[in-house]
Amino acid sequence: MKIDLRSDTVTRPTEAMREAMFSAPVGDDVFGEDPSVIQLEEYAARLFDMEAALFCPSGTMTNQLAIKVHTQPGDEVICDHTAHIYIHEGGGIAFHSGCSVRLLAGNRGRFTAQDVEENINTIDVHHPVTRLVSIENTCNKGGGSIWDFDEIIRIRRACTENGLNLHLNGDRIFNALAATGDEPAHFGRAFDSISVCLSKGLGAPVGSLLLGGSDFIRQARRFRRMMGGGMRQAGYLAAAGSYALHNNIPRLADDHARAKTLGAVVQELSFVEEVLPVETNIVLFRLNEAMPAGNFIKMLAEKEMLVVPFGKQYIRMVTHLDINDDHLEEACSLLRKMEGRM
Ligand SMILES: *Cc1c(COP(=O)(O)O)cnc(C)c1O
């Protein structure tokens, strides 16, 4: 049995999702004529109580478009030092937007309004102009950690008082919402822009949405074109996204429960030094010296169980749509058996 826990991006469309894709009405979206894309964008914007949305090929593109529209070259972006926009998007902030980055040392990816306030540059010819704050929820490098909404509101206030824009890299926002029971619209009202990934836990094959005000989205649409992200009959993909938003949100709680079970099993292993608190669908843990990460990954791969290295001696496992209770049981059994094979 193949158990792929490398990422929640490895899911494949279900039969019902494929059906929705094949029967989607389509048109040329660069001409603004694809009804399935329009339907997805309008639905998502309403869900988050934002004015408009833009369907894009990837979460990297939605984040980079947001940074591009919010800033001018020479400006500065505040984010955590583990932020996806900083470490996993190919240096895009420098390349597309020409901005410098002010990195904060948060708690598993989460910082405070006070951290933000202390890192806003004064207006002075020496300094870059602080323009944008970006937060990630859930935090990938934090092991799927969730932000406290009250802190988000405090950061919103600090941004408003200082004339800064606030972006949410919400590629796993539905995991956070599933865990806290909070409303998407609360997030929509707190941020100037939000990026939402459809091809992670929600199970669509491709696509992300950028949400924001009408004028902001108009500008993002222009930059999307410039970056080569204007797609033609994209409705086939958008239909998968709509299907995901309508059908795959309630089941995220199952992913979280399975991740908790995996985390508890990992916690018991003698060669595991530390497991980060399992808050959503990510299990992040550190192996001790008795178990080099390369060996751990190889031993599991021989049994068709796939996990990824995530920094020195750290391993990440992610539950998703294609991991059911049989996979979970087998994964737990393989992990326990490793104890005897050291
Ligand atoms: C997956 C992910 C993204 C976007 O990645 P793409 O592969 O470009 O879709 C952005 N931020 C976080 C935290 C992610 O996990």
Side-chain angles (χ1 to χ4, degrees):
M1 184 192 302
K2 188 171 169 187
I3 309 163
D4 195 343
L5 296 167
R6 289 173 301 167
S7 174
D8 42 8
T9 55
V10 301
T11 58
R12 271 158 296 202
T14 57
E15 201 50 50
M17 183 181 277
R18 282 172 212 243
E19 200 51 52
M21 295 170 75
F22 279 128
S23 58
V26 296
D28 189 328
D29 184 53
V30 178
F31 292 153
E33 292 173 0
D34 190 303
S36 299
V37 172
I38 292 168
Q39 192 180 46
L40 170 65
E41 291 175 344
E42 286 180 351
Y43 178 74
R46 256 200 322 277
L47 191 59
F48 282 84
D49 196 17
M50 292 190 107
E51 285 175 359
L54 183 68
F55 182 55
C56 291
S58 71
T60 296
M61 187 180 276
T62 52
N63 284 325
Q64 293 300 324
L65 284 175
I67 296 164
K68 182 71 191 158
V69 176
H70 286 310
T71 62
Q72 293 296 319
D75 286 349
E76 190 157 87
V77 179
I78 295 179
C79 66
D80 188 77
H81 70 117
T82 63
H84 194 282
I85 59 164
Y86 175 66
I87 51 173
H88 286 301
E89 298 185 7
I93 298 175
F95 187 82
H96 301 294
S97 300
C99 288
S100 66
V101 184
R102 183 73 147 254
L103 299 176
L104 306 183
N107 164 20
R108 291 196 291 129
R110 300 155 303 182
F111 46 83
T112 64
Q114 189 183 343
D115 294 332
V116 170
E117 280 161 351
E118 287 171 356
N119 283 278
I120 297 171
N121 292 327
T122 52
I123 302 296
D124 178 311
V125 288
H126 297 85
H127 306 313
V129 178
T130 308
R131 190 78 70 186
L132 174 68
V133 175
S134 179
I135 80 166
E136 187 173 311
N137 196 19
T138 66
C139 309
N140 181 26
K141 279 273 178 182
S145 49
I146 302 172
W147 279 73
D148 171 15
F149 194 73
D150 293 338
E151 196 59 52
I152 290 177
I153 293 302
R154 284 191 284 274
I155 290 175
R156 170 72 269 172
R157 239 177 262 136
C159 287
T160 303
E161 280 164 16
N162 291 281
L164 309 180
N165 293 310
L166 181 59
H167 174 66
L168 172 63
N169 176 4
D171 273 27
R172 290 196 181 84
I173 186 62
F174 284 105
N175 291 96
L177 295 172
T180 61
D182 211 339
E183 297 291 324
H186 291 165
F187 281 79
R189 288 174 210 134
F191 289 89
D192 297 298
S193 56
I194 299 183
S195 163
V196 179
C197 197
L198 301 165
S199 70
K200 295 242 164 91
L202 294 182
V206 175
S208 282
L209 287 158
L210 180 61
L211 309 163
S214 311
D215 191 51
F216 169 88
I217 291 296
R218 235 187 325 274
Q219 293 178 64
R221 193 178 290 278
R222 177 180 162 71
F223 285 123
R224 183 186 70 171
R225 175 68 187 167
M226 198 184 285
M227 291 178 188
M231 299 183 288
R232 301 297 177 173
Q233 284 72 38
Y236 293 116
L237 299 172
S242 286
Y243 181 90
L245 287 177
H246 285 101
N247 296 280
N248 292 346
I249 292 174
R251 59 156 307 286
L252 290 172
D254 301 341
D255 293 346
H256 297 180
R258 291 187 184 112
K260 272 216 161 48
T261 303
L262 274 174
V265 170
V266 169
Q267 185 87 61
E268 296 300 312
L269 301 172
S270 63
F271 49 85
V272 169
E273 187 81 33
E274 181 199 10
V275 184
L276 270 61
V278 180
E279 297 183 36
T280 50
N281 67 330
I282 298 178
V283 185
L284 187 56
F285 55 98
R286 185 156 52 92
L287 302 164
N288 65 26
E289 304 92 76
M291 179 64 86
N295 292 9
F296 180 83
I297 293 165
K298 195 156 153 275
M299 282 161 77
L300 287 176
E302 281 164 8
K303 303 287 179 195
E304 295 194 288
M305 175 167 159
L306 306 180
V307 302
V308 287
F310 222 60
K312 198 168 180 287
Q313 284 294 83
Y314 275 94
I315 301 288
R316 189 187 73 168
M317 303 192 298
V318 189
T319 56
H320 51 76
L321 192 66
D322 289 354
I323 297 293
N324 60 30
D325 284 333
D326 293 339
H327 297 110
L328 176 68
E329 201 173 309
E330 176 71 4
C332 293
S333 150
L334 288 172
L335 286 165
R336 289 198 185 100
K337 276 184 201 152
M338 290 184 86
E339 204 69 278
R341 293 178 63 208
M342 285 186 47

